[in-house]
Amino acid sequence: MHNHRIRKLSAEALAALLVASALSGFPLAAHAATANATAPAVTETTSAPAATASTALNDSSETPTPTPTSPSDQTTPPEDPSPAPQAPTHTPAELKALTQGKSATELAAMIKTGQVNAQELVEQAFQQIKTENPALNDVIYTDPTGAAAQVKAVDPNAPFAGVPILIKGLGQAMKGYPGNNGLTFEADNKYTYTKNFVQQLQKMGFIILGETNFPELGLINVTQSDLNGNAGNPWDATRNPGGSSGGSAAAVAAGWVSLATGNDAGGSLRIPASWSGVIGLKPTQGLILGDSTTPSVVNFAETRSIADTQALLTGLMNPAHQDMLQPVPQDLTQLKIAYSTTSPVGTPVSPDAKAAVLQAVAFLRQQGFQVEEHAAPVDGVQLMQAYFLGALSNGSTANYLANHFLHRNLTADDVTNHLISPMTYALYEASKKAPQTVGAAFKGELALVKQAMTAFHQEYPLYLTPTTAVVAPLNSDPAFLPADVEKLKASGDLPFDQQMQLIYDAWLHGLTKTPFTQLANLAGEPALSLPTYLSAANLPLGIQLQGAKGSDQTLLAVGKLFEDHHQFKLLDQQVQQVSSDADQPTTSKEPQPPATPADQTVIDTKQAQTQTEPSQPAAEQPGTTPDEPQIATPVDQPATTGPKSSNDLVSTGQASQPADHEPAIAVSEQPTPTLTDQSATAAQQLGRIAPKPNVTGSQTETQGEALARKPAALTTGQQPSRTLTPASAVRLPQTGNRISHLAWALGSLGLFVVLSHCWLRRQLRP
């Protein structure tokens, strides 16, 4: 009897559901078939990203050192020593579907469980590089033969056994690989040893495929050089991915490898992370195997996920310096956070960079953090002057190499003949006239910075800023303005103070774009760039979290909060989002008259307010509560004409910006693209290479001209929308759809009545 009632109930319920389906015009059987067809065959885990340099103080001055045997506890092998099952061979399409967007940690697990094998991952990476790199120039050397040998020799019990990666071509020596420091007269030089940092990567199981692009001596914040050429950004091939670890960041962003190594002496990991949309951690100075404890170069990597970053930090840590690490607080929200959107050297900061930080402030407050606006207690101009004093060693190193390969000293003609960059030559000339007190002055500034930041972190354990002041610059924007190049070539005739002032002035064109990263280097502190923001032009821009020495894992724990709440904006995710939205049917709209220039700002602002980030609730947008910071129409600082000597700069604390080369701020002014535009963009991004945008005017426009361009979408207090659904999609359904929805509702109500009736009958029976 009981079974009969169940069968009767099931029949009644099915009948009611079919009635509801018929009323709504929504075929039930078709819906079920669609659900089955669209169910993913492979469960994908969302993985997230990983940064680079304006100057690499001593990136090129490394010498071969004996490689110590790493302790057994540095890379703990799995408990199960049995070899991984043989992985099946996949077609390229199948392999791409299995591995696209996966982190190194996930790929390692797939190799160990036999879902894929190392050789096919290596071949896939090489094929992607072969296909896509000619348009980007992010990889400058590949070694398929060596990679195949590494696959055969890899320890299957290593934590990342079989995962392919790329290494930076500067300062990370691999025997037999090019070792030219980016100098044209060293083009044929090769490394004769493998650095212990790279050896440790191999012990962790990584398969090294080749080298990534970098600028000469790692000196600048973009990847441009006479030897290797310009690197391209996979978000937009006409833009630069940053420097000096730009090739690595771009390779990770493009999805060729899940991580790629780099180094950082002034932002060289974090700047490319910001402009390429990946994660960039600069660890505490001295924490990584082979790094000095004195502020200089730090070696690490660009990644896509916090899990990979954490695993690398553990695996690459110098066991003798593990006591540097501080424990992670049980309650992260006890950490008070200071934030600033003001350039430490008094240069303009774009609305995008400000919006990125204010968006992060709103998110952190929503998570329970106390966040206050407060700049770091360091004179940014004086800090940069000390930074450039430290960079003098690059000039003397370059001249030493010139004597070795050219058998002579550098000359101004070497700049004209593209044998050396103008800044490298100017640093060499200044190094010849540097007084003996330069070393003491540099160390004295380091001590002051350390003292100031130690006191600062007593109240504010974490410090939040933009990673970069603007989105990625165009490759047509030179690292140094032509007028400054001529001055740098003639700098040998100047006294030392004037040489250093000229170096500051010439570097200011690039420094204006990236004034936030150098503090962590001179303080020896860890700093983490997170890819949390996209501009209206669909270009990434990172936020930077800086902590006290040893707080690396705390920074990663906060970064994990952003990752877990879907705050990261990765290129492949944007491509998938664009493709998905492009497949959605468009809703008809009445034709609107074309907007005039006078009312275009209002229209763009309304679009930005209407559309919201699909992965971020409206409550997380900045400016939604009275106490949240508002993103107002930017009132940027005018250029200031600073004093003409470095001593005056120290005393006044102002940056010199001569009128003949005011820094250009590339503020995006592109309106939110239409759905049709986005469909085309999706196809372009699926090919990894974006079309060259229409650019009008000079690429080296003056500061006033650049700041006059104010993107309306960024004046509303919200992040520009990346939702690609038309604005009409948020309106009420059309009349026909309303009837359909009403019918479905009535059918559902009928089903509820039937089920309730059956339940009452059952309860009332004896």
Side-chain angles (χ1 to χ4, degrees):
M1 188 66 179
H2 179 67
N3 291 337
H4 172 72
R5 287 202 301 270
I6 292 176
R7 286 195 297 272
K8 184 175 181 181
L9 174 62
S10 299
E12 290 171 340
L14 179 60
L17 191 56
L18 288 172
V19 169
S21 175
L23 287 173
S24 67
F26 191 86
L28 182 64
H31 172 62
T34 302
N36 292 333
T38 57
V42 179
T43 302
E44 288 191 292
T45 304
T46 302
S47 57
T52 297
S54 99
T55 310
L57 300 181
N58 296 307
D59 274 1
S60 62
S61 60
E62 298 171 10
T63 55
T65 55
T67 303
T69 303
S70 299
S72 59
D73 62 347
Q74 184 144 355
T75 53
T76 305
E79 293 182 2
D80 183 8
S82 60
Q86 181 62 40
T89 301
H90 301 89
T91 66
E94 292 172 339
L95 189 62
K96 182 177 180 180
L98 278 173
T99 61
Q100 188 171 26
K102 298 296 185 184
S103 67
T105 302
E106 292 168 328
L107 291 177
M110 293 174 72
I111 293 171
K112 291 184 187 303
T113 57
Q115 291 178 267
V116 295
N117 64 50
Q119 186 58 41
E120 62 182 349
L121 289 181
V122 168
E123 291 173 357
Q124 175 185 245
F126 277 130
Q127 183 58 45
Q128 285 184 278
I129 294 170
K130 180 180 179 180
T131 302
E132 301 173 19
N133 189 61
L136 290 174
N137 192 37
D138 293 320
V139 176
I140 56 174
Y141 177 80
T142 56
D143 182 21
T145 302
Q150 292 176 66
V151 170
K152 293 179 181 178
V154 70
D155 179 0
N157 294 322
F160 288 96
V163 177
I165 65 170
L166 291 158
I167 61 175
K168 185 176 179 178
L170 177 67
Q172 297 180 343
M174 175 87 164
K175 187 175 182 179
Y177 277 30
N180 49 48
N181 297 298
L183 296 166
T184 56
F185 57 78
E186 256 196 288
D188 297 329
N189 194 52
K190 295 185 181 297
Y191 287 119
T192 59
Y193 69 103
T194 297
K195 187 176 179 179
N196 49 7
F197 174 84
V198 177
Q199 288 185 9
Q200 186 62 26
L201 290 169
Q202 292 179 304
K203 290 177 183 178
M204 295 172 69
F206 290 113
I207 308 300
I208 299 172
L209 307 182
E211 287 183 345
T212 58
N213 202 353
F214 63 94
E216 178 181 299
L217 296 173
L219 272 175
I220 54 177
N221 59 3
V222 288
T223 297
Q224 299 176 345
S225 74
D226 290 324
L227 176 62
N228 297 319
N230 295 345
N233 194 316
W235 292 78
D236 178 349
T238 67
R239 295 180 182 270
N240 199 276
S244 62
S245 305
S248 290
V252 173
W256 303 343
V257 288
S258 52
L259 66 88
T261 66
N263 35 43
D264 191 318
S268 285
L269 280 164
R270 291 158 287 149
I271 293 168
S274 174
W275 286 343
S276 302
V278 296
I279 300 172
L281 171 68
K282 183 207 84 70
T284 294
Q285 184 72 51
L287 186 61
I288 300 302
L289 188 69
D291 288 350
S292 169
T293 55
T294 301
S296 54
V297 180
V298 173
N299 289 281
F300 202 60
E302 315 277 7
T303 69
R304 295 173 45 86
S305 78
I306 295 295
D308 283 358
T309 312
Q310 178 63 66
L312 277 176
L313 186 67
T314 301
L316 294 173
M317 194 182 307
N318 188 333
H321 297 158
Q322 288 182 356
D323 57 352
M324 285 185 173
L325 283 181
Q326 300 176 3
V328 179
Q330 291 186 348
D331 182 4
L332 287 174
T333 61
Q334 293 179 353
L335 301 172
K336 197 173 179 181
I337 302 175
Y339 80 92
S340 176
T341 59
T342 301
S343 166
V345 295
T347 50
V349 176
S350 74
D352 276 323
K354 294 176 182 177
V357 170
L358 296 183
Q359 174 184 278
V361 168
F363 170 77
L364 289 166
R365 285 177 175 167
Q366 194 174 57
Q367 303 307 308
F369 287 89
Q370 182 180 353
V371 189
E372 299 177 358
E373 186 170 11
H374 197 298
V378 175
D379 184 326
V381 174
Q382 189 169 337
L383 178 137
M384 288 310 303
Q385 290 174 333
Y387 182 78
F388 296 145
L389 289 178
L392 290 175
S393 61
N394 286 276
S396 56
T397 297
N399 192 64
Y400 170 83
L401 293 171
N403 274 275
H404 181 75
F405 289 94
L406 300 176
H407 310 293
R408 60 172 176 80
N409 292 328
L410 293 171
T411 68
D413 287 341
D414 293 331
V415 177
T416 304
N417 296 329
H418 303 290
L419 289 179
I420 203 81
S421 78
M423 184 55 69
T424 302
Y425 174 71
L427 290 170
Y428 159 63
E429 288 290 354
S431 69
K432 293 193 298 182
K433 296 183 179 181
Q436 294 181 352
T437 57
V438 162
F442 179 66
K443 292 180 180 179
E445 182 62 23
L446 292 182
L448 289 175
V449 170
K450 178 181 178 181
Q451 181 181 3
M453 292 308 295
T454 299
F456 179 76
H457 287 308
Q458 292 298 315
E459 183 174 4
Y460 299 107
L462 299 178
Y463 181 42
L464 169 66
T465 67
T467 306
T468 56
V470 294
V471 297
L474 293 167
N475 260 321
S476 56
D477 183 8
F480 305 103
L481 298 179
D484 290 329
V485 171
E486 294 305 313
K487 294 177 183 178
L488 293 171
K489 288 166 61 177
S491 63
D493 297 331
L494 300 175
F496 179 73
D497 284 352
Q498 292 182 30
Q499 286 177 323
M500 295 309 298
Q501 179 64 46
L502 177 58
I503 287 170
Y504 186 102
D505 293 344
W507 224 314
L508 193 59
H509 177 65
L511 178 63
T512 299
K513 302 177 182 72
T514 60
F516 296 101
T517 55
Q518 296 82 9
L519 173 60
N521 294 93
L522 294 191
E525 296 180 345
L528 175 68
S529 181
L530 299 173
T532 62
Y533 182 84
L534 289 179
S535 74
N538 202 43
L539 294 172
L541 192 150
I543 58 168
Q544 178 180 251
L545 287 164
Q546 181 175 334
K549 286 185 178 180
S551 62
D552 306 62
Q553 291 180 329
T554 298
L555 291 179
L556 293 180
V558 177
K560 191 71 165 62
L561 277 179
F562 282 88
E563 182 180 45
D564 289 345
H565 286 79
H566 311 292
Q567 298 296 300
F568 288 175
K569 308 295 187 295
L570 304 180
L571 178 56
D572 60 343
Q573 293 175 356
Q574 301 309 308
V575 172
Q576 292 170 7
Q577 178 67 42
V578 171
S579 301
S580 174
D581 289 338
D583 291 338
Q584 299 298 320
T586 59
T587 56
S588 60
K589 294 167 43 175
E590 294 183 4
Q592 299 292 332
T596 63
D599 61 10
Q600 185 63 51
T601 296
V602 177
I603 293 174
D604 289 345
T605 303
K606 289 181 179 179
Q607 288 176 345
Q609 291 172 329
T610 302
Q611 298 173 330
T612 58
E613 181 69 42
S615 63
Q616 179 171 311
E620 295 179 10
Q621 298 287 350
T624 55
T625 59
D627 63 338
E628 294 295 339
Q630 301 294 318
I631 306 175
T633 301
V635 181
D636 294 288
Q637 304 175 19
T640 58
T641 302
K644 296 302 181 182
S645 72
S646 57
N647 293 332
D648 289 339
L649 279 171
V650 173
S651 62
T652 61
Q654 294 180 343
S656 171
Q657 300 180 20
D660 62 345
H661 61 88
E662 293 173 331
I665 298 294
V667 179
S668 168
E669 62 179 353
Q670 301 183 28
T672 303
T674 63
L675 187 63
T676 303
D677 294 337
Q678 288 150 354
S679 300
T681 302
Q684 291 152 359
Q685 288 185 328
L686 286 171
R688 295 295 183 194
I689 309 302
K692 184 175 182 178
N694 293 326
V695 180
T696 59
S698 170
Q699 297 304 326
T700 56
E701 62 189 326
T702 66
Q703 176 180 321
E705 291 169 340
L707 294 178
R709 296 155 37 197
K710 300 175 183 178
L714 293 175
T715 65
T716 63
Q718 294 182 324
Q719 177 185 348
S721 168
R722 302 316 311 158
T723 302
L724 302 180
T725 307
S728 60
V730 299
R731 300 173 183 168
L732 292 175
Q734 300 298 323
T735 304
N737 289 336
R738 293 175 183 171
I739 294 174
S740 175
H741 288 199
L742 179 61
W744 176 259
L746 290 174
S748 301
L749 180 61
L751 173 61
F752 175 78
V753 171
V754 170
L755 293 174
S756 300
H757 174 68
C758 294
W759 182 79
L760 286 172
R761 287 177 56 191
R762 178 180 176 185
Q763 297 299 317
L764 293 174
R765 287 184 180 180

